[in-house]
Amino acid sequence: MSTTLAQNVRVLTAPGTRHDEILTPAALDFVGRLAAEFGERREGLLKERRRQAIRLAAGSPLDFPMVTAAVRADRGWRVAPPAPGLADRRVEIAGPPERRMAVDALNSGASVWMADFEDATAPTWDNLVSGQLVLLDAIERRIDFTTEEGKEYRLGDSDRPATIMVRPRGWHLDEEHLEHDRRPVPAALVDFGLYFFHCAQRQIDAGHGPYFYLPKLENRYEARLWNDVFVLAQELLGIPRGTVRATVLIETITAAFEMEEILHELREHSAGLNAGRWDYLFSVIKTFGHRTDFLLPDRAKVTMTAPFMRAYTELLVRTCHRRGAHAIGGMAAQVPAKDPATNEAVLAAVRLDKEREAEDGFDGSWVAHPGLVPVCRTAFDGVLGDRPDQRDRTREDVDVTPADLLSVRRISGPPSPEGVRTNISVALRYYAAWLRGQGAVALDGLMEDAATAEIARVQIWQWLRHRVVDRRTVEQILDDEITALGADYPWAPVDDIRGLFERTAMTGELPLFFAPDAYSRHLVRRPEVRA
């Protein structure tokens, strides 16, 4: 890398413990090269997102793209075959790249650990750099530690720990603590670049490879951008082209209309698609929430068997399998309960959900807690047996139309009083944890992340917009829940939390995400500048 480029990459905060192991000059050069090559193009794609949102809000129809009809009609192309460590993905566990989570996930018996820099990580600079250190230490098998209370966390002796996949932040976010040419570096390139630079070759040497989950994509052009990032990154580090593998989360309504195109753009690096429930509903409301026929009831009532959700998941399985790709199901966010009767009900609900996914053709699914790994594995074992997947089941019986994907009106309806209160309570408690630096939080028996807060706050916005909930009612519940929050969490900055909720859920124009507001106001600190 050039010395000129190195001088243009700066860390805008004080160094932390072991940060120098990650933020090396060579690693920063590498991230800077990615930013220089792709930063402007990423900005153009974000502008196109906004233009598309305006067109859809004005009534333009959402349909499968006519210009890519030939790609969908061509039955000859396939994605790359499964990479080492990704052949059998029947159980995947997701969580933040924290030391305790890393040990538990790698020992859990899951096929894959999705180390999440996105929704499960509050993006303090220390969280992000520490997360990179955790991944480096895990690959080097020096992750063992003992807590202050004396509890030991040790990697097991298994020669097949969970394969690591990393989820960087989405294209829409900046990393304000790292600057290239006096501009914040795209957060996605920071998370990807630091991990790739330090761990790609290490993972290859360990018999796996640099594998990723890609969040919040809205169209094929954003997938193409990621593919070009992979190509350049491999070229710069001398890694064979096609070594990278990436699974795309189909968690936006616009991406659901371009699943084949997204696979096609990433085909030499593709590891399939994943169905992300809460973010998908969040996207539906963001995109069409101004329309009364898209008025959703309580989020707990919008299950995966709702017609428009079933259309989305069945299309995902069909699309993946006709192209030789893995189809990965959604998250089981339940946390096992201490009470035996309650726990049995929790496990029964998870079992039913995972059996449905396996029977529908998915090749694997997600859980949020190690205690759910055996339930998910048993459900998929019952369908897969000794086979690693069921990609041969092409689901030619599935025929999904644009109208099917948009048939929200079939479950449309007003919320219940309990649903309104639950959304306000969950959003506030999650905001409190997020502002404290915690991105994954156990709330009401579920392991929640940023996607939960997003669906909770946009539902409040939608219900207020369509006046199915009175604003004074929301304000009264907000008062009550803020008081309760302060009593339960004396450390919580209740005024900041209330302000964040009001700005992200109670305004006329819906903010696209809560994180940029909260991040810029609360998590960006620049006590000193270091070249």
Side-chain angles (χ1 to χ4, degrees):
M1 303 296 174
S2 69
T3 56
T4 301
L5 183 59
Q7 294 170 1
N8 289 337
V9 180
R10 298 192 300 171
V11 179
L12 303 179
T13 191
T17 303
R18 295 183 62 197
H19 281 202
D20 59 325
E21 296 179 40
I22 296 298
L23 304 175
T24 64
L28 293 176
D29 276 353
F30 181 74
V31 172
R33 178 65 180 271
L34 298 179
E37 184 70 25
F38 301 111
E40 185 174 345
R41 186 166 147 199
R42 171 251 191 181
E43 286 295 326
L45 290 175
L46 293 180
K47 290 178 182 177
E48 178 53 31
R49 276 190 186 184
R50 293 189 284 272
R51 287 191 290 266
Q52 171 74 330
I54 292 170
R55 288 193 293 267
L56 293 174
S60 294
L62 186 56
D63 203 343
F64 302 121
M66 291 182 60
V67 295
T68 54
V71 170
R72 297 192 300 274
D74 181 359
R75 299 299 299 270
W77 63 269
R78 295 288 188 274
V79 303
L86 293 181
D88 187 326
R89 300 173 62 182
R90 68 189 68 198
V91 190
E92 302 192 354
I93 188 168
E98 297 170 352
R99 198 159 293 271
R100 184 177 307 184
M101 178 69 203
V103 175
D104 285 345
L106 293 170
N107 289 340
S108 67
S111 312
V112 168
W113 171 38
M114 193 273 282
D116 187 11
F117 284 94
E118 197 220 10
D119 281 352
T121 296
T124 67
W125 185 236
D126 188 63
N127 278 354
L128 297 167
V129 181
S130 295
Q132 296 284 347
L133 283 164
V134 165
L135 293 172
L136 180 60
D137 287 348
I139 295 167
E140 294 287 340
R141 297 190 69 85
R142 60 189 186 206
I143 194 74
D144 297 357
F145 73 104
T146 303
T147 68
E148 293 180 357
E149 297 76 23
K151 184 174 181 180
E152 294 186 348
Y153 286 82
R154 301 284 183 268
L155 278 184
D157 296 329
S158 171
D159 59 354
R160 295 183 61 188
T163 300
I164 295 173
M165 299 184 76
V166 172
R167 176 160 72 168
R169 285 168 287 175
W171 283 129
H172 60 290
L173 296 171
D174 288 320
E175 178 46 69
E176 297 285 351
H177 297 92
L178 193 61
E179 181 181 85
H180 172 258
D181 279 347
R182 300 187 180 277
R183 299 181 64 184
V185 178
L189 298 181
V190 176
D191 300 339
F192 166 82
L194 292 175
Y195 175 73
F196 191 90
F197 182 85
H198 290 291
C199 298
Q201 189 60 54
R202 285 180 165 93
Q203 286 285 45
I204 294 168
D205 294 342
H208 289 166
Y211 305 145
F212 300 91
Y213 261 99
L214 306 180
K216 304 292 189 293
L217 268 64
E218 297 202 2
N219 54 56
R220 61 193 181 276
Y221 301 111
E222 295 178 15
R224 184 181 301 169
L225 175 56
W226 267 120
N227 195 73
D228 290 347
V229 170
F230 297 157
V231 170
L232 180 60
Q234 291 166 127
E235 177 185 323
L236 290 174
L237 296 190
I239 290 173
R241 179 164 171 159
T243 302
V244 172
R245 289 291 192 277
T247 299
V248 173
L249 292 116
I250 301 298
E251 53 188 356
T252 65
I253 184 65
T254 52
F257 283 80
E258 299 192 27
M259 293 188 202
E260 289 205 69
E261 291 85 349
I262 287 170
L263 285 178
H264 187 261
E265 294 292 347
L266 284 159
R267 59 194 180 279
E268 66 178 325
H269 298 112
S270 179
L273 305 177
N274 170 280
R277 176 185 179 184
W278 289 135
D279 270 313
Y280 190 74
L281 292 176
F282 164 47
S283 173
V284 169
I285 296 175
K286 276 198 307 180
T287 307
F288 296 111
H290 59 287
R291 289 172 47 175
T292 57
D293 54 335
F294 280 82
L295 181 64
L296 286 170
D298 299 358
R299 61 191 177 98
K301 297 178 181 178
V302 188
T303 68
M304 297 304 286
T305 60
F308 78 103
M309 295 297 286
R310 188 149 182 80
Y312 146 67
T313 55
E314 291 204 314
L315 179 61
L316 189 148
V317 172
R318 180 179 185 270
T319 300
C320 286
H321 287 183
R322 76 187 303 193
R323 302 304 180 183
H326 282 116
I328 307 300
M331 173 69 79
Q334 292 89 338
V335 176
K338 293 181 180 180
D339 175 69
T342 302
N343 193 53
E344 181 54 38
V346 168
L347 297 182
V350 173
R351 185 180 305 113
L352 186 64
D353 183 55
K354 298 310 169 190
E355 287 174 349
R356 174 192 54 77
E357 289 183 325
E359 290 164 2
D360 282 349
F362 282 97
D363 303 292
S365 191
W366 277 9
V367 299
H369 191 281
L372 302 182
V373 169
V375 180
C376 185
R377 179 170 293 279
T378 298
F380 276 87
D381 285 349
V383 172
L384 297 179
D386 295 332
R387 297 177 299 157
D389 56 57
Q390 51 184 332
R391 289 178 297 144
D392 58 339
R393 189 178 169 202
T394 56
R395 291 302 310 271
E396 297 298 333
D397 57 304
V398 171
D399 183 17
V400 173
T401 68
D404 295 329
L405 291 171
L406 299 173
S407 60
V408 176
R409 66 185 181 281
R410 295 176 64 182
I411 63 161
S412 181
S416 69
E418 296 79 11
V420 176
R421 183 173 292 275
T422 296
N423 275 351
I424 294 173
S425 173
V426 166
L428 293 177
R429 286 184 288 162
Y430 185 80
Y431 284 175
W434 199 90
L435 293 176
R436 204 184 192 198
Q438 185 179 2
V441 191
L443 298 174
D444 303 328
L446 299 173
M447 188 60 70
E448 308 285 26
D449 63 13
T452 308
E454 294 288 28
I455 183 63
R457 61 106 183 170
V458 298
Q459 282 208 298
I460 296 297
W461 173 85
Q462 186 185 40
W463 295 336
L464 285 171
R465 178 184 176 89
H466 294 291
R467 300 183 180 180
V468 295
V469 175
D470 181 71
R471 188 176 184 89
R472 291 185 63 182
T473 300
V474 171
E475 290 172 345
Q476 181 59 59
I477 296 174
L478 181 58
D479 289 341
D480 294 345
E481 294 299 327
I482 282 288
T483 299
L485 181 72
D488 292 340
Y489 305 150
W491 46 264
V494 292
D495 291 340
D496 289 341
I497 293 165
R498 183 186 186 114
L500 178 59
F501 184 83
E502 290 174 340
R503 291 191 302 273
T504 58
M506 299 178 66
T507 56
E509 184 175 348
L510 178 69
L512 296 180
F513 298 93
F514 84 82
D517 179 293
Y519 177 71
S520 62
R521 290 172 184 264
H522 303 286
L523 297 188
V524 178
R525 298 183 178 88
R526 299 181 177 182
E528 68 180 52
V529 175
R530 178 167 63 87

